[in-house]
């Protein structure tokens, strides 16, 4: 019998380990890495390969006699095998690692052995040995002490866990194929699990007796010990185990099952005796005696300690039975039931197999971490998609719930109506932003200053226009005086014939200013007429202009505070639900961030679908919380709707809404009118500044014209004086030399005598550029910063010129429309294309153009 006896009266069993032979696992694994990955990768994983090699060697040699060290070695090697299994295909296939064969001997019949070219037999053998070592550890404790029995029970529980893990995860795979051993089969692993649980429960029973627990408790615990032994015995009595184990195994388990059944009957009879239930007591005692008597028939080969325990218990049962029968015959005279008619004894288990998933989980191991097979990568991608789908679906539900809350509250005008009742008025966001923009730009109160700026710019333009006209008028008066003085000798053209074009342009500018003045007047009238409407925009804060929501003057039941309080409480609950949704969404994202199942995929030997199902299930509780949150919100919104209806009726909310909407419309109308006036003012400012450039340009042309005429005037006066004085030709030469010191106009060489007696022909004088006619207000001139440079409007010839050269008419580019529509109706003046101010011209007045009021463009000037 593969068992080690204990020193206590009740003998227990321990399992011996399976034996194996030496193999080389290092070289085939290294060659696989070098061939399928790279030699560099094989070098990087050298430490991991050496670790696997050393673990396998220690398994073979039993180098350390310590049971706990052996246990840790088996656990480490099993985790390493899980990592090897997912990265190295070990099988007879030619493309796989086919040079490794694992050989293991049967633990109960060492002459039997199995050899397989896969890792399944290796893993099953290691799990079997782990359970065996745990059983040996349990048997090594001194069960004469409470602590010893407790530690032994824990070790047997761990052994049961190892055999259960073998049965559920490795036995079926290891049994596939012709070469296998029965000790790692599903049937054997299940039997050993029951046996280890029976011994663990037996330790608990012994401690229960030592503590002096009641007979009823001891009976239940003892019965469960018997149940575990009976389950193990049932497995041993049927194929395939019935012919595999030694008879002493079956005898031991059978005696143990009967012993603890009888013990349970004995303990329960003590409780029945205290309750004076003599009839059932007698029946239970007889049942226990019968079980022991029947089992003794099969006691051949059993340990003597076990037989002594059975004999002692049988004596106790018979003694109590004799006493109970006498008491019943003399006192109670109760009919004793048949043992077969009694209900089963109650059993109570205090042990269960230890979960080995955590102990044997290889997902936290770093060995061979750089080797990721394609199937694992694809499985990870699929799992990630499944998680993303859950996150996306739940996030959409949360967002829809929040949006539903927002829409419902807006329909019920909450919480604005409550805030209005408390004096905390609010404007719609868009409307409030528009009001703030108006107030930042100066508001209606700032329009007067801008109107004054319009007046100032108009005045400056008028002054420039008057100055230009005075220049031309002064030159014309001087020319008329000399013409009267010299009569026919004054042969140059009259000023009026040369300044007609300039004078026409000045007249058109005057007409433009007049029409602009009328537009300015319309703006001023609009400001005065709508000042009352726009005055609401100067209220600070703007909310002070809103109507108030007051409590009812009279109340029949005075429940306003209760209604208001209940509505506020519901709104706070709704806000709490919203905060919970935000937290749930963050929790989902955090779970996804931490959800790394690649190590588990790399160590998984079962179906990926099963792993996915298990891993995805950890999101179930959050999804359930989200569903509960949304459901609670739906009920709460219905409650808020009813409370708000009551609130609206009590506080006459409909009338308040009507007055508030009316106020909103008044504010919107005021903003629209303000924007219209503001845009018109901006258009006017742009018009005046641009017109000022055009007038300044024409004024410069007038000034240049006057200067040229003055030079011509001096030369003509000198010629006329010489003619009147009858100067000689020599004098003419002298005077000609003298005159060459001035910028004469039209002189080239000394005149002949014939030229002295005749007036100089005035072939060409200053001709201002021709411009198309303009009337009223046309498209605005180009804005500041125009890069066009206008050539001088006149040209003073050098001394080498033979005659006055008229200036070339300036080619006017087509009028552009920088501002979309004409600033003033009918204005089509060429100064829209006026060029930049010439050097020496009158400086631009210090006025700036305010930026157009964003984002609207007015058509006020265009519409007048």
């Amino acid at each position: 019998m593969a068992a080690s006896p204990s020193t206590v009266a009740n003998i227990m069993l321990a399992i011996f380990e399976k034996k194996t032979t030496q193999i080389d696992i290092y070289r085939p694994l290294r060659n696989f890495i070098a061939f399928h990955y790279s030699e560099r990768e094989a070098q990087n994983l050298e430490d991991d390969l050496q670790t696997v090699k050393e673990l396998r060697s220690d398994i073979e040699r039993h180098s350390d006699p310590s049971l706990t060290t052996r246990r840790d070695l088996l656990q480490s090697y099993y985790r390493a095998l899980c990592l090897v299994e997912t990265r190295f295909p070990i099988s007879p296939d030619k493309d796989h690692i086919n040079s490794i064969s694992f050989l293991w001997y049967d633990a109960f019949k060492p002459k039997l052995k199995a050899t397989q070219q896969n890792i399944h037999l290796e893993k099953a053998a290691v799990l079997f040995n782990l359970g065996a070592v745990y059983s040996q550890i349990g048997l090594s404790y001194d069960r004469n002490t409470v602590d010893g029995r407790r530690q032994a029970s824990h070790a047997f529980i761990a052994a049961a866990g190892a055999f259960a893990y073998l049965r559920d995860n490795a036995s079926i795979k290891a049994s596939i194929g012709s070469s296998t051993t029965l000790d790692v089969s599903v049937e054997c692993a299940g039997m050993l699990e029951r046996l280890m649980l029976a011994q663990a429960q037996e330790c608990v029973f012994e401690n229960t007796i030592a503590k002096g627990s009641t007979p009823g408790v001891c009976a239940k615990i003892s019965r469960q010990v018997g149940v575990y032994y009976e389950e193990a015995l049932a497995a041993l009595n049927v194929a395939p185990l019935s012919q595999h184990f030694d008879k002493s195994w079956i005898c031991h388990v059978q005696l143990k099952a009967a012993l603890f059944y009888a013990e349970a009957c004995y303990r329960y009879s003590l409780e029945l005796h205290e309750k004076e239930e003599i009839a059932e007591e007698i029946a239970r005692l007889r049942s226990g005696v019968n079980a022991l008597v029947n089992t003794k028939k099969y006691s051949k080969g059993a340990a003597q300690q076990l037989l002594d325990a059975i004999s002692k218990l049988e004596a106790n049962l018979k003694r109590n039975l004799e006493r109970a029968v006498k008491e019943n015959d003399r006192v109670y005279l109760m009919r004793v039931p048949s043992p077969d008619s009694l209900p089963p004894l109650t059993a109570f288990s205090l042990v269960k197999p230890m979960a080995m998933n955590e102990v044997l989980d290889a997902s936290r191991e770093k060995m061979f971490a750089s080797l990721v097979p394609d199937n694992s990568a694809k499985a990870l991608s699929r799992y990630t998609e499944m998680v993303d789908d859950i996150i996306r679906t739940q996030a959409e539900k949360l967002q829809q719930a929040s949006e539903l809350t927002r829409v419902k509250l807006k329909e019920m005008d909450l919480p604005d109506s409550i805030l209005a009742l408390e004096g905390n008025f609010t404007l719609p966001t868009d409307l409030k932003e528009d009001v703030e923009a108006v107030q930042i730009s100066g508001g209606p109160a700032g329009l007067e200053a801008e109107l004054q700026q319009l007046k100032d710019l108009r005045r400056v333009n008028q002054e420039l226009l008057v100055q230009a006209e005075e220049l031309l008028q002064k030159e014309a008066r001087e020319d008329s005086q000399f013409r009267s003085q010299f009569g026919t000798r004054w042969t140059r053209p009259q000023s009026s014939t040369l300044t007609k074009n300039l004078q026409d342009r000045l007249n058109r500018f005057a007409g433009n200013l007049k029409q602009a003045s009328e537009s300015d007047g319309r703006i001023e009238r609009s400001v005065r007429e709508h000042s009352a409407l726009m005055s609401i925009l100067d209220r600070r804060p703007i909310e002070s202009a809103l109507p108030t929501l007051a409590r009812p003057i009279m109340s029949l039941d005075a429940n306003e505070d209760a209604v208001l309080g209940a509505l506020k409480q519901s709104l706070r609950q709704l806000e709490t639900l919203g905060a919970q949704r935000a937290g749930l969404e963050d929790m989902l994202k955090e779970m996804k961030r931490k959800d790394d199942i690649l190590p588990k995929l790399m160590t998984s030997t079962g179906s990926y679908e099963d792993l996915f199902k298990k891993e995805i299930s950890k999101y179930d509780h959050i999804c359930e919380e989200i569903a509960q949150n949304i459901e609670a919100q739906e009920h709460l919104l219905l409650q808020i709707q009813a409370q708000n209806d009551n609130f609206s009726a009590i506080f006459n909310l409909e009338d308040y809404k009507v007055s508030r909407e009316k106020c909103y419309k008044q504010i919107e109308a005021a903003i629209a009118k303000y924007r219209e006036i503001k845009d018109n003012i901006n258009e006017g400012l742009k018009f005046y500044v641009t017109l000022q450039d055009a007038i300044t340009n024409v004024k410069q042309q007038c000034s240049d014209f006057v200067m040229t005429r003055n030079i011509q005037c001096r030369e003509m006066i000198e010629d006329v004086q010489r003619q009147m004085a009858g100067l000689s030709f020599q004098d003419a030469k002298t005077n000609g030399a003298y005159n060459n010191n001035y910028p004469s106009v039209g002189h080239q060489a000394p005149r002949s005598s014939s030229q002295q007696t005749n007036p100089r022909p005035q072939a060409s004088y200053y001709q201002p550029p021709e411009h198309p006619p303009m009337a009223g207000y046309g498209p605005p001139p180009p804005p500041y910063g125009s890069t066009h440079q206008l050539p001088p409007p006149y040209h003073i010839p050098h001394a080498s010129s033979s005659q006055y050269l008229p200036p070339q008419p300036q080619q006017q580019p087509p009028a552009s429309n920088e501002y979309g529509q004409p600033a003033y109706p009918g204005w089509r003046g060429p100064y829209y294309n006026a060029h930049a101010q010439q050097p020496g011209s009158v400086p631009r007045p210090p006025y700036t153009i305010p930026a157009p009021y964003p984002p609207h463009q007015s058509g006020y000037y265009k519409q007048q």
Side-chain angles (χ1 to χ4, degrees):
M1 179 175 67
S4 176
S6 70
T7 58
V8 297
N10 290 336
I11 188 171
M12 291 186 180
L13 300 177
I15 314 302
F16 289 142
E17 290 187 58
K18 291 169 65 68
K19 304 298 182 182
T20 186
T21 57
Q22 184 177 359
I23 62 169
D24 179 17
I25 196 173
Y26 167 82
R27 183 56 54 186
L29 297 185
R30 193 187 191 285
N31 291 340
F32 180 85
I33 297 173
F35 181 79
H36 289 86
Y37 294 91
S38 66
E39 177 62 29
R40 183 182 184 86
E41 190 70 31
Q43 294 174 1
N44 293 338
L45 296 174
E46 183 67 27
D47 292 343
D48 294 342
L49 292 169
Q50 288 292 341
T51 299
V52 174
K53 178 181 178 181
E54 293 172 3
L55 289 173
R56 172 65 189 187
S57 298
D58 292 340
I59 293 292
E60 298 164 357
R61 292 184 287 108
H62 288 266
S63 57
D64 194 328
S66 169
L67 290 174
T68 54
T69 302
R70 185 71 178 172
R71 175 200 63 193
D72 296 340
L73 170 64
L74 289 165
Q75 291 175 354
S76 298
Y77 184 53
Y78 182 83
R79 291 193 291 266
L81 288 176
C82 291
L83 298 174
V84 169
E85 181 182 11
T86 56
R87 292 167 171 82
F88 301 95
I90 301 176
S91 77
D93 294 348
K94 62 178 182 179
D95 295 332
H96 292 178
I97 301 175
N98 53 21
S99 59
I100 298 178
S101 294
F102 297 102
L103 184 149
W104 287 89
Y105 294 94
D106 193 295
F108 304 104
K109 290 191 175 182
K111 294 182 179 181
L112 300 179
K113 63 181 180 180
T115 303
Q116 293 186 14
Q117 283 183 290
N118 60 60
I119 206 167
H120 303 310
L121 177 61
E122 184 84 350
K123 291 176 67 179
V126 171
L127 288 174
F128 182 93
N129 285 355
L130 180 61
V133 169
Y134 270 122
S135 72
Q136 296 170 26
I137 292 174
L139 209 62
S140 68
Y141 290 113
D142 181 9
R143 291 193 295 114
N144 289 317
T145 65
V146 173
D147 284 342
R149 289 189 291 265
R150 180 178 54 81
Q151 292 173 340
S153 176
H154 289 167
F156 290 132
I157 288 173
F163 288 121
Y165 196 85
L166 166 63
R167 178 195 62 204
D168 297 336
N169 296 278
S171 290
I172 296 179
K173 295 179 180 178
S175 299
I176 298 175
S178 58
S179 181
T180 183
T181 54
L182 197 57
D183 55 353
V184 294
S185 65
V186 173
E187 295 82 3
C188 187
M191 184 276 294
L192 293 174
E193 176 207 10
R194 296 290 99 181
L195 179 61
M196 293 299 108
L197 287 177
Q199 296 186 158
Q201 182 86 0
E202 186 175 346
C203 293
V204 174
F205 171 74
E206 291 175 357
N207 269 348
T208 305
I209 296 298
K211 290 190 298 183
S213 298
T214 62
V217 172
C218 294
K220 293 177 181 178
I221 296 175
S222 175
R223 182 68 193 107
Q224 185 62 52
V225 177
V227 169
Y228 284 139
Y229 276 118
E230 289 169 4
E231 291 174 350
L233 179 62
L236 285 169
N237 284 330
V238 297
L241 302 182
S242 59
Q243 303 300 322
H244 191 73
F245 284 86
D246 189 82
K247 295 296 182 180
S248 60
W249 268 82
I250 300 176
C251 179
H252 174 85
V253 174
Q254 189 172 9
L255 290 177
K256 281 278 190 174
L259 174 65
F260 281 97
Y261 172 76
E263 184 73 33
C265 291
Y266 174 73
R267 298 293 172 180
Y268 189 55
S269 69
L270 297 177
E271 184 180 72
L272 292 173
H273 188 78
E274 293 175 358
K275 297 178 180 179
E276 297 184 353
E277 297 179 5
I278 300 301
E280 186 177 354
E281 177 189 358
I282 294 171
R284 294 294 181 185
L285 289 170
R286 286 175 178 172
S287 179
V289 171
N290 293 336
L292 293 178
V293 171
N294 292 332
T295 304
K296 286 170 112 180
K297 300 176 183 179
Y298 309 100
S299 61
K300 184 179 179 181
Q304 187 59 44
Q305 296 94 326
L306 183 56
L307 293 175
D308 292 343
I310 291 175
S311 298
K312 182 179 178 181
L313 178 59
E314 183 181 3
N316 291 335
L317 286 168
K318 289 181 177 180
R319 184 180 62 252
N320 287 358
L321 176 60
E322 183 180 355
R323 182 197 61 194
V325 169
K326 288 181 180 180
E327 290 181 359
N328 187 47
D329 291 342
R330 296 174 181 177
V331 179
Y332 299 102
L333 303 174
M334 299 179 66
R335 186 178 66 84
V336 178
S338 170
D340 296 335
S341 65
L342 296 175
L345 289 173
T346 303
F348 184 70
S349 176
L350 293 177
V351 297
K352 64 179 181 179
M354 185 178 77
M356 302 299 291
N357 291 324
E358 291 295 326
V359 176
L360 302 177
D361 182 16
S363 61
R364 292 187 292 270
E365 300 291 330
K366 303 300 181 182
M367 189 180 296
F368 303 119
S370 60
L371 300 183
V372 181
D374 290 342
N375 59 342
S376 297
K378 292 178 181 178
L380 177 62
S381 176
R382 183 162 173 246
Y383 176 78
T384 303
E385 291 177 359
M386 295 170 64
V387 173
D388 289 343
D389 184 62
I390 291 177
I391 300 296
R392 181 170 53 254
T393 302
Q394 298 303 317
E396 289 176 357
K397 289 182 179 180
L398 292 172
Q399 293 171 2
Q400 290 172 0
S402 298
E403 180 65 16
L404 177 64
T405 300
R406 187 190 67 80
V407 172
K408 290 291 186 182
L409 291 180
K410 185 174 180 62
E411 291 175 354
M412 291 184 282
D413 200 30
L414 290 174
D416 292 347
S417 56
I418 295 179
L419 294 175
L421 183 62
E422 297 173 347
N424 299 320
F425 304 101
T426 58
L427 278 178
T429 304
D430 295 342
L431 189 59
K432 185 174 180 61
E433 291 176 354
D434 289 343
V435 172
E436 289 176 350
V438 168
Q439 292 178 344
I440 290 173
S441 66
L447 294 178
E448 291 297 333
E450 297 187 14
L451 289 175
Q452 183 61 44
Q453 191 173 2
L454 275 180
K455 295 178 182 178
D456 293 341
L457 285 172
R458 184 172 68 246
R459 176 181 52 78
V460 168
N461 277 276
Q462 290 172 342
E463 291 175 354
L464 289 173
L465 193 61
V466 169
Q467 293 171 6
E469 290 175 346
E470 288 178 349
L471 285 173
L472 296 181
Q473 291 173 2
K474 179 180 178 183
E475 193 280 330
R477 286 195 302 269
E478 291 176 352
D479 181 71
S480 177
Q481 291 175 2
F482 285 117
R483 193 174 301 279
S484 299
Q485 178 180 354
F486 295 110
T488 57
R489 294 186 183 89
W490 195 258
T491 59
R492 72 172 182 173
Q494 292 185 5
S495 296
S496 58
T497 61
L498 300 177
T499 61
K500 184 178 184 304
N501 194 5
L502 290 175
Q503 193 64 53
D504 289 344
R505 293 178 65 187
L506 292 176
N507 291 337
R508 283 194 294 271
F509 287 158
N512 291 339
L513 283 174
K514 179 180 179 182
Q515 189 170 356
S517 177
E518 295 173 357
S519 296
D520 294 346
R522 285 191 292 270
I523 295 176
E524 293 176 3
R525 286 194 300 274
S526 181
V527 171
R528 289 194 301 270
E529 292 170 359
H530 299 96
S531 60
L533 171 65
M534 294 187 295
S535 62
I536 194 172
L537 299 178
D538 286 327
R539 301 279 291 271
R540 294 177 185 269
I542 188 61
E543 288 79 6
S544 62
L546 296 177
T548 59
L549 177 62
R551 292 175 175 270
I553 300 175
M554 297 182 62
S555 176
L556 298 178
D557 48 9
N559 65 341
E560 297 91 349
D561 292 337
V563 171
L564 180 60
L567 183 56
K568 286 183 178 180
Q569 179 64 25
S570 297
L571 289 175
R572 283 193 291 269
Q573 294 176 3
L574 191 65
E575 185 177 357
T576 302
L577 289 176
Q580 290 177 356
R581 285 196 299 275
L584 289 172
E585 186 170 3
D586 293 340
M587 191 184 303
L588 274 174
K589 294 177 180 178
E590 182 65 15
M591 281 191 66
K592 178 187 175 184
R593 186 182 68 81
K594 295 181 178 179
D595 191 6
D596 181 16
I597 69 162
L598 181 59
K600 295 181 181 179
L601 286 172
M602 299 299 296
T603 57
S604 175
T605 57
S607 169
Y608 283 148
E609 294 298 327
D610 295 338
L611 178 62
F612 291 165
K613 184 177 180 180
K614 178 182 176 182
E615 292 297 321
I616 285 292
S617 64
K618 62 176 170 278
Y619 292 92
D620 290 347
H621 72 282
I622 298 184
C623 296
E624 184 177 351
E625 289 183 26
I626 291 174
Q628 292 174 354
N629 180 284
I630 294 174
E631 183 179 0
Q633 176 182 278
E634 292 175 354
H635 293 306
L636 190 57
L637 284 174
L638 294 175
Q639 177 180 318
I640 291 174
Q641 180 68 61
Q643 292 172 341
N644 187 65
D645 293 343
N646 195 12
F647 172 76
S648 300
I650 292 176
F651 288 89
N652 198 14
L653 198 58
E654 291 302 322
D655 291 346
Y656 166 74
K657 289 181 180 179
V658 171
S659 59
R660 186 187 60 185
E661 290 300 321
K662 181 179 179 181
C663 185
Y664 286 169
K665 291 180 179 179
Q666 180 182 354
I667 294 175
E668 291 172 353
I671 292 173
K673 180 53 65 176
Y674 174 83
R675 286 172 172 169
E676 177 186 341
I677 294 175
K678 181 76 173 180
D679 290 344
N680 289 336
I681 291 175
N682 289 338
E683 290 293 330
L685 292 174
K686 288 190 292 186
F687 165 77
Y688 281 124
V689 171
T690 312
L691 181 62
Q692 180 178 330
D693 287 343
I695 295 178
T696 301
N697 188 16
V698 173
K699 178 185 175 185
Q700 182 64 44
Q701 295 179 21
C702 294
S703 177
D704 293 343
F705 169 76
V706 169
M707 182 179 66
T708 302
R709 293 280 285 182
N710 289 337
I711 294 173
Q712 294 173 347
C713 179
R714 288 198 303 271
E715 292 179 350
M716 182 163 286
I717 289 174
E718 293 173 358
D719 289 344
V720 171
Q721 288 176 346
R722 283 195 297 269
Q723 293 174 10
M724 294 177 64
L727 295 176
S728 65
F729 176 77
Q730 185 61 37
D731 292 337
K733 284 181 64 178
T734 303
N735 290 335
Y738 174 79
N739 288 335
N740 283 338
N741 293 326
Y742 296 91
S744 63
V745 181
H747 285 282
Q748 172 61 32
R751 301 184 189 88
S752 63
S753 58
S754 61
Q755 290 173 324
Q756 297 176 4
T757 57
N758 296 318
R760 179 185 311 173
Q762 304 296 328
S764 176
Y765 291 94
Y766 173 76
Q767 295 292 333
E770 291 296 330
H771 295 278
M774 73 177 168
Y777 296 89
Y784 291 126
S786 173
T787 57
H788 300 288
Q789 295 294 328
L790 184 68
Y794 54 87
H795 179 66
I796 304 176
H798 295 287
S800 60
S801 301
S802 59
Q803 60 180 356
Y804 290 171
L805 297 178
Q808 296 297 323
Q810 189 70 34
Q811 181 68 29
Q812 295 292 334
S816 64
N817 194 346
E818 287 284 331
Y819 309 105
Q821 295 294 333
Y824 289 83
W827 180 21
R828 296 292 184 272
Y831 50 80
Y832 274 105
N833 301 306
H835 297 281
Q837 185 170 303
Q838 298 295 326
S841 62
V842 179
R844 176 179 298 180
Y847 292 104
T848 59
I849 307 175
Y853 182 75
H856 305 281
Q857 294 295 333
S858 171
Y860 180 81
Y861 278 84
K862 312 162 196 174
Q863 297 166 0
Q864 304 304 320

